[in-house]
Amino acid sequence: MLELEFTTIVEWDEALWARMERIYHEAFPSGAKTKAILRNMLHRGIGYLHTGMHQGEVVAMAVTGLEGKAANRILIIDYLAVEQKLRGSGIGSWMLEQLRVWGLREHGINGMIIEAESGKTEAHQERIQFWQRNGFILTSYVHQYRMVPESYQAMMLPLDGSTHVPDDGEALFHYINAFHKVAYRKS
């Protein structure tokens, strides 16, 4: 695997975003949060941008946010993307490990949650398998947003020493929905 450097960005950096944006839009061509929303999330201190760089070039990126009280702090992985030509090389797993270490060290997180598109296509199954290979547990609850055509399932990586994931996943969407509600708020 490439030699990589992990960075977390807490204040908007237009030049760095310009280097990340291609990977973000390549992985999420539709439905992704706009630059204005991401910038606002950082400005308000509710979101973080993370990069994986190789020789000064961004090859992976993530958008995260925190939800829950200190005793039950959860890191929401809103987006995780690896440059298309480098997918399958272990960089995504490396980014997840960096996010886990950062979240534990900086915020004392108890777990990490993602929402994965629910579906039966090969692409959907490959995404689910990536998260499962990295320790995430798929829940059975399928969530349907009103304004989005795709349905989603929550996946969680518990970090408190247990393998317990709350109920069928519906409770995990309380965290996800609370994060989205704050992220899309204008001020």
Side-chain angles (χ1 to χ4, degrees):
M1 192 174 81
L2 302 174
E3 189 174 311
L4 299 168
E5 177 187 349
F6 178 78
T7 307
T8 296
I9 296 96
V10 296
E11 292 185 24
W12 190 259
D13 180 330
E14 191 66 39
L16 183 56
W17 174 250
R19 295 164 54 207
M20 299 170 70
E21 191 172 21
R22 176 184 51 81
I23 295 168
Y24 180 66
H25 289 296
E26 179 181 88
F28 308 103
S30 64
K33 288 180 175 69
T34 65
K35 178 170 86 168
I37 291 170
L38 295 173
R39 185 176 43 232
N40 193 32
M41 287 169 54
L42 266 65
H43 177 71
R44 293 173 35 227
I46 61 165
Y48 305 89
L49 292 177
H50 309 272
T51 63
M53 292 197 211
H54 173 66
Q55 298 178 344
E57 292 298 317
V58 177
V59 296
M61 59 82 60
V63 178
T64 63
L66 295 165
E67 270 303 318
K69 305 287 183 235
N72 199 22
R73 178 77 36 122
I74 300 293
L75 183 68
I76 307 286
I77 301 174
D78 204 18
Y79 300 97
L80 174 70
V82 174
E83 188 171 4
Q84 192 164 7
K85 68 182 179 187
L86 296 173
R87 291 181 192 157
S89 67
I91 293 172
S93 295
W94 178 86
M95 280 291 288
L96 280 176
E97 177 61 13
Q98 302 311 304
L99 291 170
R100 184 189 69 78
V101 168
W102 172 82
L104 285 167
R105 182 185 67 236
E106 299 295 322
H107 302 285
I109 61 172
N110 299 86
M112 295 166 51
I113 297 175
I114 61 102
E115 57 180 332
E117 278 186 43
S118 180
K120 302 292 182 207
T121 69
E122 188 175 329
H124 287 113
Q125 295 308 307
E126 286 173 4
R127 283 188 212 111
I128 298 288
Q129 289 168 2
F130 164 78
W131 295 104
Q132 288 176 322
R133 280 193 309 273
N134 285 283
F136 283 75
I137 298 165
L138 179 66
T139 60
S140 61
Y141 171 73
V142 177
H143 187 78
Q144 184 65 56
Y145 291 104
R146 281 183 286 226
M147 305 298 282
V148 180
E150 303 85 16
S151 56
Y152 290 85
Q153 287 175 272
M155 299 184 77
M156 181 173 185
L157 176 64
L159 298 174
D160 59 3
S162 78
T163 55
H164 174 71
V165 173
D167 66 38
D168 63 358
E170 191 168 3
L172 299 180
F173 273 94
H174 293 296
Y175 289 104
I176 294 166
N177 289 330
F179 172 70
H180 287 312
K181 185 177 181 180
V182 173
Y184 282 103
R185 194 175 298 145
K186 297 263 188 253
S187 57

